Amino acid sequence: MTSSLPTDKMANAIRALAMDAVQKANSGHPGMPMGMAEIAVALWTRHYRHNPTNPHWINRDRFIVSNGHGSMLHYALLHLTGYDLPMEEIKNFRQLHSKTAGHPEVHVTPGVETTTGPLGQGLTNAVGMALAERLLAAEFNKPGFNIVDHHTYTFVGDGCLMEGISHEACSLAGALRLSKLVVLYDDNGISIDGHVEGWFIDDTPKRFEAYNWNVIRNVDGHDVAAVDAAIAAAKKSDKPTLICCKTVIGKGSPNKAGTHDVHGAALGDKEIAATRAALGWDFQPFEIPADVYAAWDAKTSGQKLEGEWSELFKAYDERYPQEAGELLRRMKGELPGKLNDAIDAYIAACVEKKENIATRKASQNAIQALAPVLPEFLGGSADLTGSNLTNWKECVPVRADHAGNHINYGVREFGMSAVMNGIALHGGYIPFGGTFLTFSDYSRNALRMAALMKIRSIFVFTHDSIGLGEDGPTHQSVEHVSSLRLIPNLENWRPCDTVESAIAWKHAVARRHGPTTLIFSRQNLPYMERTPEQILAINRGGYVLRDAPDARAVLIATGSEVELVVKAADELAKQGTPVRVVSMPCTDLFDRQDAAYKQSVLPKGLPRVAVEAGVTDFWYKYVGLEGAVVGIDTFGESAPAGVLFKHFGFTTENVIAKVKSVLA
């Protein structure tokens, strides 16, 4: 899309909308939109392939504002180019239930591809999107039919590059040579605290060259033609590209441009008036003249682009109908018809085999059963594949020179998790990646973002407790399971055996509108006998695993501790104290059950004891203040697992004593 309108007038429309919206809200960040306006003109009018009338067109370019505090830049672009974002929404910036939230939010604002705000994660999501595009292209494109062929563009600021996750993600992107990833760096030298040279003196171009990136240096970010030429050059590279754009934050503001004062606060009426005069912008607040709208409008050009692609896809469908149908299914997020039968058959096999194995191995067996009927499975691990067991026999590693379905993320837990989010957001794959549960701390904000965005990312966490033994307290998870349960919309499973592990995977794969953590043991765990009705009840998150007539108490446990409470129940029965055993592999799912079901599992009036190798606070919601919890409220120790469980009171004798204490 090109226009005869002067580019400075197009850029000034962005500046005006940004300063007006921030002023009306008395909240926001006008500096970045004002500083990156010409960069936006160059990208969005000369390179960015999109269709405002269909924000979900499969082959659209992806665009991410990683420095998401500059959200008004994105909203201005969406409004001006013709997305369903009317001026009333611009005026409603940062207000309750508006489509113009303080930071861009996917599924809220048409045209926004991911939720950004925590700096560096948008850039990392972009790496995931570029990776998904490359893998889908390798899988589905045919000679003469490049039906998957688009770029991923992202704007970043100094803050994104200061965050450590940028190193993790960009190092991986360089190793994989993601050539359709183009990053435009707003090099304005300002952050909230002021001029960054006191705390950020990296030679950023050299850093990215060391990552195996193509770097274009010293581009005048206020020269549309220069930015245009840089983007054109980037698109010809066989590497990801960083375009370093020198800009002035808040450009146009006579008294605040180039200072941190314009970074995160409204300009004020007086300075806005001065800015309007300096820019020659002779229009009222939120007024955009017709010639500016006409110059920016991308609806017609976008429909033409999608129409051309649709004709190509129609011909592709005629020649390769199976591949065409498969791509559409996967991009819609629909699961294969054969999947449920495969899962049910695998669960039946688990029942027949009755294996006593670690749940991390049970997880790998489930992956092995699912992978042949789930071609969108895209696994990986943060350098712990042999421990997490997130690979399968037929998996192919992803490399720079060939596609595959298993990613060696390297020791990059946070990067892995946010890349997975980008893959899930792009569509076409169901990503899962593994690390030790303790290192979920490294990943935590990406897990939170996955939950906030309601996307299907699957996080596999193994070595889930003191049961990992000799590695000691640095690796032994204590607070992690409970803390993950605090994240809204994150579903957490800690299964006790092969059957519960299989059902956990079933739920994770089927869950379209939220992420899942699958939490597995290092040590072997025994198979638990169940009736068919009990197996069905696992799907409700918590269920009665062992019952007793006239039960006097309820024992609740998850994961490896289920074995312990079953043994304690057997011993209590011998002593004349019958108890019920409840396995609760997914408390999040159990909490969503109706009151009648929860009452049937945890009857009122029966004292309760919960047992889990972690902090105790979480469990009082189930046992009440009159109940008891067997847990760990300290850090662990270095010793063999069996010694540790005994040392911390995870013994039959201690569980029995706790039951008797609540009955006294």
Side-chain angles (χ1 to χ4, degrees):
M1 181 182 72
T2 58
S3 169
S4 59
L5 190 76
T7 55
D8 61 345
K9 192 171 184 181
M10 298 178 73
N12 288 341
I14 294 173
R15 293 188 171 98
L17 286 175
M19 64 184 182
D20 289 344
V22 171
Q23 183 66 26
K24 186 173 186 296
N26 195 28
S27 174
H29 299 74
M32 180 280 239
M34 297 174 73
M36 294 194 78
E38 283 86 5
I39 299 171
V41 171
L43 175 61
W44 275 60
T45 66
R46 303 187 183 185
H47 297 278
Y48 186 48
R49 294 169 58 87
H50 64 123
N51 181 7
T53 63
N54 180 14
H56 304 293
W57 170 32
I58 289 174
N59 201 44
R60 69 191 181 276
D61 288 340
R62 270 55 171 184
F63 172 71
I64 297 169
V65 177
S66 185
N67 41 349
H69 54 271
S71 57
M72 263 312 304
L73 172 67
H74 204 170
Y75 300 148
L77 288 166
L78 295 170
H79 171 75
L80 292 168
T81 55
Y83 285 80
D84 184 17
L85 196 69
M87 186 62 82
E88 286 306 309
E89 293 291 351
I90 302 297
K91 293 178 180 178
N92 212 23
F93 178 57
R94 290 193 163 214
Q95 304 309 300
L96 184 64
H97 303 315
S98 75
K99 292 183 180 180
T100 48
H103 293 80
E105 294 187 30
V106 70
H107 311 313
V108 172
T109 312
V112 169
E113 301 284 0
T114 182
T115 300
T116 56
L119 293 176
Q121 286 200 62
L123 170 58
T124 310
N125 295 163
V127 172
M129 292 179 189
L131 177 56
E133 188 276 342
R134 204 196 95 186
L135 296 177
L136 283 172
E139 186 174 353
F140 287 99
N141 287 355
K142 304 291 183 183
F145 293 98
N146 288 338
I147 56 167
V148 180
D149 184 12
H150 53 265
H151 285 79
T152 301
Y153 300 99
T154 183
F155 287 178
V156 304
D158 290 311
C160 294
L161 301 185
M162 284 188 245
E163 290 285 2
I165 193 173
S166 71
H167 163 71
E168 298 183 29
C170 295
S171 173
L172 180 64
L176 296 178
R177 297 181 77 97
L178 300 179
S179 59
K180 289 188 177 178
L181 174 62
V182 179
V183 177
L184 293 114
Y185 167 33
D186 180 28
D187 184 9
N188 61 33
I190 295 291
S191 67
I192 291 175
D193 280 359
H195 292 273
V196 301
E197 65 264 17
W199 52 87
F200 184 55
I201 59 170
D202 301 16
D203 188 331
T204 298
K206 284 186 178 179
R207 171 187 164 193
F208 275 77
E209 286 169 348
Y211 294 152
N212 194 39
W213 281 54
N214 172 43
V215 177
I216 301 175
R217 300 167 179 250
N218 299 318
V219 175
D220 182 350
H222 302 302
D223 183 337
V224 171
V227 177
D228 173 26
I231 297 171
K235 290 161 69 175
K236 296 176 183 177
S237 176
D238 62 351
K239 301 176 181 180
T241 296
L242 178 73
I243 302 174
C244 300
C245 300
K246 287 290 184 180
T247 63
V248 176
I249 191 170
K251 182 174 174 60
S253 171
N255 301 299
K256 295 187 178 182
T259 74
H260 70 280
D261 294 330
V262 75
H263 181 282
L267 294 177
D269 291 331
K270 186 176 179 180
E271 186 65 14
I272 286 177
T275 303
R276 274 186 154 76
L279 296 175
W281 188 260
D282 299 322
F283 307 101
Q284 295 300 308
F286 301 105
E287 180 187 353
I288 302 295
D291 61 341
V292 173
Y293 273 127
W296 272 110
D297 191 352
K299 295 192 292 295
T300 300
S301 60
Q303 289 168 350
K304 183 176 183 290
L305 287 170
E306 183 173 358
E308 292 169 350
W309 178 86
S310 297
E311 286 298 314
L312 180 67
F313 188 81
K314 181 180 178 182
Y316 177 83
D317 188 17
E318 291 171 355
R319 188 163 179 181
Y320 304 103
Q322 184 175 345
E323 289 87 346
E326 178 70 3
L327 177 61
L328 291 177
R329 175 190 70 78
R330 285 166 55 172
M331 292 303 292
K332 291 176 183 175
E334 298 172 352
L335 296 175
K338 297 179 180 179
L339 182 64
N340 283 335
D341 289 342
I343 293 176
D344 291 342
Y346 174 67
I347 293 170
C350 290
V351 173
E352 183 178 347
K353 290 181 180 179
K354 306 183 188 318
E355 291 181 293
N356 299 333
I357 57 177
T359 51
R360 62 172 173 156
K361 180 61 180 175
S363 167
Q364 185 180 45
N365 292 347
I367 293 169
Q368 186 66 56
L370 290 170
V373 294
L374 199 61
E376 57 264 55
F377 243 9
L378 184 57
S381 173
D383 203 50
L384 290 167
T385 303
S387 295
N388 302 147
L389 304 182
T390 49
N391 56 343
W392 62 101
K393 291 178 183 177
E394 301 82 9
C395 71
V396 177
V398 174
R399 295 291 184 265
D401 59 353
H402 65 79
N405 52 12
H406 188 273
I407 303 168
N408 298 103
Y409 285 100
V411 188
R412 303 181 178 105
E413 295 89 352
F414 192 8
M416 173 183 73
S417 302
V419 166
M420 285 167 52
N421 290 347
I423 292 168
L425 287 160
H426 180 280
Y429 292 101
I430 298 176
F432 63 93
T435 186
F436 290 166
L437 177 59
T438 308
F439 304 144
S440 64
D441 282 342
Y442 283 140
S443 302
R444 188 176 182 87
N445 201 261
L447 270 66
R448 183 178 188 271
M449 295 306 294
L452 178 62
M453 294 188 285
K454 302 178 182 177
I455 56 176
R456 183 162 43 189
S457 296
I458 302 174
F459 304 98
V460 178
F461 296 127
T462 68
H463 296 60
D464 67 345
S465 70
I466 58 171
L468 67 87
E470 292 85 347
D471 275 340
T474 61
H475 284 52
Q476 292 166 3
S477 297
V478 175
E479 75 277 22
H480 299 81
V481 178
S482 287
S483 68
L484 291 172
R485 290 171 178 147
L486 296 176
I487 299 176
N489 198 44
L490 180 64
E491 201 162 271
N492 305 276
W493 286 80
R494 187 172 184 248
C496 75
D497 70 353
T498 56
V499 172
E500 286 190 0
S501 297
I503 290 173
W505 266 109
K506 175 182 178 180
H507 277 262
V509 167
R511 190 167 190 247
R512 294 187 61 171
H513 302 298
T516 303
T517 73
L518 301 175
I519 300 167
F520 298 119
S521 72
R522 177 196 185 192
Q523 71 273 27
N524 288 347
L525 302 179
Y527 173 81
M528 294 290 164
E529 293 286 352
R530 300 175 185 83
T531 66
E533 291 75 20
Q534 287 175 311
I535 292 174
L536 283 175
I538 297 171
N539 292 285
R540 306 189 78 165
Y543 64 101
V544 179
L545 177 64
R546 297 280 188 276
D547 211 355
D550 304 318
R552 296 183 58 198
V554 179
L555 281 169
I556 310 168
T558 76
S560 52
E561 287 70 68
V562 171
E563 173 190 13
L564 173 61
V565 298
V566 167
K567 289 179 179 178
D570 289 343
E571 184 59 35
L572 282 164
K574 293 177 184 177
Q575 297 177 15
T577 306
V579 297
R580 167 180 286 189
V581 172
V582 169
S583 177
M584 200 176 287
C586 184
T587 61
D588 313 276
L589 185 53
F590 180 76
D591 288 347
R592 296 201 300 271
Q593 303 305 308
D594 59 75
Y597 179 76
K598 288 188 280 190
Q599 167 74 10
S600 73
V601 175
L602 301 175
K604 292 179 181 177
L606 280 185
R608 303 167 189 172
V609 175
V611 182
E612 186 174 65
V615 293
T616 60
D617 279 3
F618 171 84
W619 287 101
Y620 287 100
K621 66 185 281 189
Y622 298 108
V623 304
L625 295 179
E626 68 282 1
V629 182
V630 177
I632 307 174
D633 288 318
T634 66
F635 293 110
E637 298 279 354
S638 294
V643 174
L644 291 172
F645 278 118
K646 183 176 181 180
H647 173 75
F648 285 105
F650 290 90
T651 63
T652 302
E653 294 78 15
N654 190 38
V655 174
I656 289 172
K658 289 289 187 181
V659 171
K660 290 183 176 179
S661 73
V662 300
L663 291 174

